[in-house]
Every structure is written in structure tokens, then in C-alpha cells.
Amino acid sequence: MMKLPIKKTTTCAVFLVSGAASAWAQGDAQDLYLHKCATCHGPDGTAKTALGRKLKVKDAHGPVAKMSVDAMIKIVANGGHDMDGYGKQLNKDQIKGLVDYYRGLAK
């Protein structure tokens, strides 16, 4: 009777599933950003939108990129300046995904 290499198969399956989940999370964060944030922050994070200019939203490529992840998470969850908070609409993973996506625009 031949034994299957269960350990390698399991590792491979976990890797494939986690890779798919990461790709989905990135797409989900991008969709959320475009739906909830791009009106002010711009699709590319430059804040060069009519509302972004009116509210004097900072460019993701400038000083905002130097904010800590935790500070940004608090702002997205609770709101700040002229921005509404999304803590009641979005879960913690979605908020973290938005922050990570936004910070990634600065790169």
C-alpha cells in the first residue's frame, strides 16, 4: 500500500487557499476604497478631486504617508477633520485593508 505525502499536500493546499484569500482581500480593499474614499482622496491617493481640494485633503504621497497605521485606523473608524467614521459600517479587517491599500498608493 502506498502512502500519500499528506504533509506536503496539506501545506500546498493551505498556501493556495491563503494566496487566494490575500488576492481577494486586496481586491475587496480596492473596491471599498474606490466606493468610500476616492471621492475625496482620489483614485490614486493624490486628493486631486473637487471635494478633495475643497476640503484640503492631504495627498497620500506626502505627510499623510508618515502617519502610523494605528492613527490611520482610528481616523477611518472614528472619523476626523471633515471625514465621517466608518467604524459602524465596516469591520476591523475592512478598515485595516483600507488603510493598507491607501498607504500602498504612496509607494
Side-chain angles (χ1 to χ4, degrees):
M1 185 172 173
M2 185 173 166
K3 290 186 178 182
L4 294 174
I6 294 172
K7 195 171 194 176
K8 288 181 184 178
T9 304
T10 303
T11 303
C12 182
V14 169
F15 176 74
L16 290 173
V17 170
S18 67
S22 295
W24 178 86
Q26 178 65 20
D28 184 46
Q30 181 180 16
D31 289 345
L32 279 172
Y33 177 84
L34 292 174
H35 179 71
K36 302 259 186 211
C37 312
T39 303
C40 297
H41 292 278
D44 59 358
T46 59
K48 292 181 181 177
T49 65
L51 200 51
R53 286 185 186 107
K54 180 180 178 183
L55 298 173
K56 298 180 181 169
V57 175
K58 305 282 187 201
D59 186 333
H61 303 87
V64 170
K66 295 177 182 173
M67 289 178 66
S68 73
V69 172
D70 289 338
M72 292 177 96
I73 287 172
K74 285 180 185 176
I75 290 171
V76 174
N78 304 323
H81 307 286
D82 290 323
M83 187 177 120
D84 292 334
Y86 292 102
K88 293 183 179 178
Q89 296 174 21
L90 304 174
N91 66 42
K92 289 179 182 181
D93 290 336
Q94 290 172 314
I95 291 172
K96 174 77 166 74
L98 278 175
V99 168
D100 290 343
Y101 182 80
Y102 181 68
R103 291 172 68 85
L105 293 175
K107 295 179 182 174

